[in-house]
Amino acid sequence: MDLQTLTYLVVGVTFAIYIGIAIWARAGSTQEFYVAGGGVSPLANGMATAADWMSAASFISMAGLISFMGYDGSVYLMGWTGGYVLLALCLAPYLRKFGKFTVPDFIGDRYYSQTARTVAVVCAILISFTYVAGQMRGVGVVFSRFLEVDITTGVIIGMAVVFFYAVLGGMKGITYTQVAQYCVLIFAYMVPAVFISILITGHVFPQTGLGATLLDGSGMHLLDKLDGLSAELGFAAYTEGTKSTADIFAITAALMVGTAGLPHVIVRFFTVPRVKDARISAGWALIFISILYTTAPAIGAFARYNMIDTINGPDAQGTLLTEAPTWIKNWEKTGLIKHEDKNGDGRMFYSGDERNEMTIDRDIMVLANPEIAQLPDWVIALVAAGGIAAALSTAAGLLLVISTSISHDLLKRNLMPNITDKQELLAARGAAAVAIVIAGYLGINPPGFVAEVVAFAFGLAAASFFPAIILGIFYKKMNKEGAIAGMLAGIIFTVGYILYFKGIFITPFAENKPENWLFGISPEGIGTVGMVVNFVVAYAVSKFTKEVPQDVQDIVEQIRFPKGAGEAQAH
């Protein structure tokens, strides 16, 4: 069976499973559509949370960034891992006890203001659309190579699948679909990693293979070899960073605190019966997430080593390659790899200086890794299914956030409080359908690499939601005026900075280079500065405006007490 047929078969079977689960778990009420009826077990919820959390950025793009950036790419690893811990331990249980399953709902009630709720809805939609653009881009990359269709067609196919199980099943359908998607994506991620680790270092576990000696007889460790190759080819040393300390700190912090403000992850803690179950499911999710995240650096290093070896290295007879390897020919069809023979010698050369003849999209490295290592076709097909599962699982969660923000927070809790449960459910499904169309457009016309686009979403969450949530839980004197002013200041500053340096405004100063950045901080890390702006503005405004009503202060005091937490139910 050829690779394309095998890929169609494997991906088709997984799609059939997802759609079957959506039909089986169809939501019949708003409670089931929004929070799966609150009856999911902690283990299943932990697995679904992990799938929701590990998007196309984690599966497809993170190891690709580490592969190309080396040490500098580790900021994504540290930020996203630390962020989940922060969310699970410091925020989720308190939000769960407060009983509001959307961030705008929490902000609207905690800050006793419909204006605050509306600002939060706008922020949630902006964050979710930015995030989902990266997921749909990931879907397009996978389809363009493995199903041999163009990226636009691939995105449309992905839209159709997400539309079916997100609009039909809501959170109930998404939760159980994500359990299946986690199983697919983690198996697809680990199998090639184990195979390649054995081939290169002899180690079964990729995590130990990363620091092991190569089997090529050189006696060198993998990372030492990569450092030497990088220096020889004009790149920065693989294990040394080129980013400034300020930028590394800012990106890591933005990803970390942005995680704690991501609405599609927070809502997962309302799908279990009790606060205690929310804590347990958070622990399970951390275990499931760590399997992939501890493997990503090894996959990045293996891919880098094999890629350089297959492009620049000699063939089996010891002569320099005059014909592109098969994996490059396959990916050239997608337009994600390009070769320009600058010196006319008929050979390919990859380097970090003027000798370079290769343009390689970073998002392909995980997907191309099995082909580069010449693994069996079934492994390649499996990776394709895993990449699609990772992108679709997160896309579905984000689309649900958009639909609930519009139907529940904007309509039911603000503009149309008298609509029936049935009308609210219909509005949620309609909003999800419209959101899918917009998300598809953003996937076809993305503003950058998958992980880069996702980093922008985290920055927006850090600058808008994180201060409002933290102050709402731990500072009972934060009033509505302060929260609203802080969110607006943080989101406007961060959006403006990202748009300015990503080429939206054509000015001599908009060139995206370190010397032009504020404090040397890149657009990916500016959310940290936006967060500081939010905190400062919120605190300052709260000091010059009315105090928080006593009943609201009492509620804030109550949610921090563990007494009765185990019996708390979602409302």
Side-chain angles (χ1 to χ4, degrees), residues 424-447:
E424 186 182 350
L425 182 59
L426 182 63
R429 286 186 166 132
V434 173
I436 287 171
V437 174
I438 298 173
Y441 173 80
L442 294 173
I444 294 167
N445 302 281

Side-chain angles (χ1 to χ4, degrees), residues 54-62 185 188-189 292 366-367 383 386-387 390:
M54 292 188 297
S55 63
S58 294
F59 187 98
I60 296 174
S61 201
M62 182 171 64
L185 75 86
Y189 202 79
L292 187 146
V366 170
L367 301 173
V383 170

Side-chain angles (χ1 to χ4, degrees), residues 40 113 136 155 178 363 450 462 500 519:
V40 181
S113 168
M136 300 312 291
V155 170
Q178 285 174 337
D363 286 338
V450 173
Y500 185 75
F519 307 127

